Amino acid sequence: MQHKSFENMPCPIARSLARVGEWWSMLILRDALHGMTRFDQFQKSLGIAPNMLTRRLNALVDAGLLSRRRYSEKPPRDEYLLTARGRDFRPVLLALLAWGNRHFAPEGPSVLLVDAKTGAAVDPMLVDPATARPINTPDYALIAVPAAGDRTRRRYAAARPVAGEEQASPPNRTRRARARTAI
């Protein structure tokens, strides 16, 4: 179910979850990123009930992650194509894949990301394009920026480092300005 109450929240994570937080939606996007476009392909891959698949496809079209294109008039049949917004979801799915393999696959991974030319396994990570450093270090922090409301400003002003992580030193002015434009 799409969470309409999250759509208007100022938090970008809540807004994103409102569009893709239902697990069938993420699996449909996974399959679409793998090249599937037709209702029967999604249904066969996922084993999802037709009425649920219809609802999830409609929600993804409404959220602008998929577009609908008619490919047959008799009988009426549509295919579902990724939009730029849907294609931009790929790194999120790759991060979930890596996280799931690392933490929830005691038998070992069932799917890996590999370099298409060499076949070598790749572990995706989020990096700062300015420094190429992984963003999972304590050198980075989330901050509220001008578009944030009072509640968001209070939340991030009161944020503390995650247990086990060292306190990051305050960013310098140049770094802070760059961070504001990136969020």
Side-chain angles (χ1 to χ4, degrees):
M1 174 195 324
Q2 192 168 354
H3 301 283
K4 297 281 186 197
S5 61
F6 289 165
E7 286 181 7
N8 296 320
M9 288 184 75
C11 174
I13 294 170
R15 287 179 181 173
S16 299
L17 285 172
R19 276 68 176 193
V20 297
E22 202 278 333
W23 67 285
W24 283 120
S25 295
M26 286 195 237
L27 296 177
I28 291 167
L29 289 170
R30 175 203 63 191
D31 286 355
L33 285 160
H34 199 64
M36 294 182 196
T37 60
R38 297 193 175 175
F39 189 94
D40 59 327
Q41 293 173 318
F42 292 119
Q43 189 175 23
K44 183 178 178 184
S45 172
L46 299 170
I48 185 174
N51 60 337
M52 176 60 76
L53 179 55
T54 298
R55 282 196 302 269
R56 299 314 323 143
L57 287 169
N58 287 338
L60 290 166
V61 168
D62 291 346
L65 294 149
L66 295 175
S67 64
R68 183 181 291 115
R69 183 172 69 188
R70 180 73 33 113
Y71 70 88
S72 173
E73 291 299 330
K74 290 186 180 185
R77 298 278 188 255
D78 296 321
E79 61 184 352
Y80 298 88
L81 306 168
L82 287 162
T83 62
R85 186 180 287 181
R87 288 186 298 277
D88 282 350
F89 194 69
R90 187 171 195 266
V92 176
L93 286 176
L94 293 176
L96 282 170
L97 171 105
W99 184 69
N101 279 344
R102 190 174 305 117
H103 297 287
F104 304 110
E107 71 287 355
S110 61
V111 176
L112 287 175
L113 177 65
V114 298
D115 182 305
K117 291 181 182 173
T118 68
V122 177
D123 190 19
M125 68 177 177
L126 191 59
V127 298
D128 176 351
T131 65
R133 289 191 340 234
I135 293 182
N136 62 356
T137 68
D139 296 335
Y140 298 89
L142 296 172
I143 62 169
V145 293
D150 290 339
R151 183 176 177 188
T152 301
R153 289 179 191 284
R154 285 192 304 274
R155 179 182 309 118
Y156 286 99
R160 300 191 194 302
V162 175
E165 289 186 359
E166 297 176 22
Q167 175 71 37
S169 56
N172 64 34
R173 277 198 187 284
T174 306
R175 187 84 163 142
R176 185 174 291 155
R178 197 171 32 211
R180 280 193 181 127
T181 60
I183 293 179

